[in-house]
Amino acid sequence: MPAVAAETIAADLHLLCAGAVKGLVLAIQAGFEASAGARLAARFGAVGVMRDELAAGAPCDVFVATEPMVASLVAAGVLRAATSTAIGRVQTALAVPAGAAVPAIDNAEELRSTLLAASALYLPDAKRSTAGAHAVAVLDRLGIRSALEPRLRMHANGASAMAALAAAGDRLAVGCTQATEIRYTPGLSLVGPLPEPCALATVYSAAIATVARNEPAARVLVALLAGPASATLRGAGGFDPVALDAR
C-alpha cells in the first residue's frame, strides 16, 4: 500500500472501535503507522459505548462497529456513506480456560447442559454490547436465565469479560462473546460458535466520520482493515468473509 506523506496529515488518527475488532487493529497497527505516517490513537469497547462516545464529541476519524450501527450513523449523516466498508463476519462463541475440558455444544440441548453445568458464565454488558445482548437472549430461549442469574459475571465489554475468565482460575467456568475477542485473549480456548438456533453471525464495518480531521490516513486504515493485505490476519483472528450477495 502506498504511504501517505507525513506532512499532508495530522499526527494522530483517531479510531473508535468495537472490541470485536481490537485484535485485528493491534495486528495491523505497526503497518498502518508506517504506511500512513500517523500515530494510531484507538479506543475500544462495546458498540453502544463507542456510539455514545462519538455522539458526545470524542475525536473520531474512523468508526468501526456492527454493520447495522454503521448504516444508521451513515443515515444520520455522522459517517460518510461512500466510505462504509465491511471488514468481516464474526460468530458469537463459547470459551473455556486453557486446559479445561472442552464441552460439547453441537446443538441447543448440549449448549443448555453445558451452561447449566458451568460454575460461572462470563459475558459482556447485555445492554451495550452485541454479544452480551445475544447471550442473555440465548439464556431466555433455552429457558435457563433464572437458573444462571446468580452465576452471571457481566463486564463492560467482551475483552474485560474474557480477561476476567482467564484470570479467575476456575476450570468449570465458561465465557460467551465474539469469537475474535476469545482468540486474542491469552489463557482461553475457543470451544466454537453457538449452535443453531442460538447462533449469531455479526458483520463489522468501518467508515470515515464526517468530522474526520485526518482523512488521508483514515482512508489508509479502512483499506488496511478490510482489504486483501489483512485477509490472512482476519481469517486467523476469527473473521469470515462477507459475500456481497449475503449482506
Side-chain angles (χ1 to χ4, degrees), residues 10-229:
D12 289 342
L13 184 286
H14 292 279
L15 169 68
L16 295 178
C17 184
V21 189
K22 181 178 179 179
L24 176 62
V25 171
L26 296 180
I28 68 168
Q29 181 171 356
F32 161 75
E33 291 180 344
S35 295
R39 185 180 71 90
L40 182 63
R43 300 173 72 173
F44 304 98
V47 291
V49 174
M50 295 297 96
R51 176 199 58 212
D52 292 348
E53 289 197 9
L54 181 62
C60 181
D61 296 293
V62 176
F63 186 82
V64 176
T66 58
E67 187 175 52
M69 182 176 288
V70 168
S72 71
L73 292 174
V74 165
V78 177
L79 303 177
R80 299 180 186 179
T83 68
S84 179
T85 309
I87 296 170
R89 192 183 307 274
V90 178
Q91 298 281 347
T92 302
L94 208 69
V96 295
V102 177
I105 59 166
D106 292 336
N107 53 57
E109 190 53 44
E110 288 182 348
L111 176 62
R112 185 176 188 274
S113 297
T114 290
L115 294 174
L116 285 172
S119 60
L121 172 59
Y122 289 77
L123 69 163
D125 188 297
K127 293 183 178 179
R128 305 178 87 181
S129 77
T130 303
H134 183 68
V136 170
V138 166
L139 297 182
D140 285 334
R141 184 185 191 110
L142 296 175
I144 59 174
R145 182 171 178 177
S146 60
L148 268 290
E149 199 78 46
R151 289 175 269 167
L152 296 183
R153 305 290 183 264
M154 199 169 293
H155 292 259
N157 50 60
S160 57
M162 294 306 98
L165 172 61
D170 181 359
R171 293 195 172 193
L172 297 179
V174 299
C176 184
T177 191
Q178 305 297 53
T180 51
E181 293 173 306
I182 296 170
R183 285 181 181 273
Y184 71 66
T185 303
L188 297 184
S189 295
L190 176 67
V191 177
L194 301 184
E196 295 292 351
C198 302
L200 177 67
T202 303
V203 175
Y204 287 86
S205 295
I208 297 176
T210 55
V211 296
R213 298 180 62 188
N214 196 346
E215 186 173 346
R219 289 197 300 267
V220 172
L221 182 62
V222 172
L224 190 53
L225 284 171

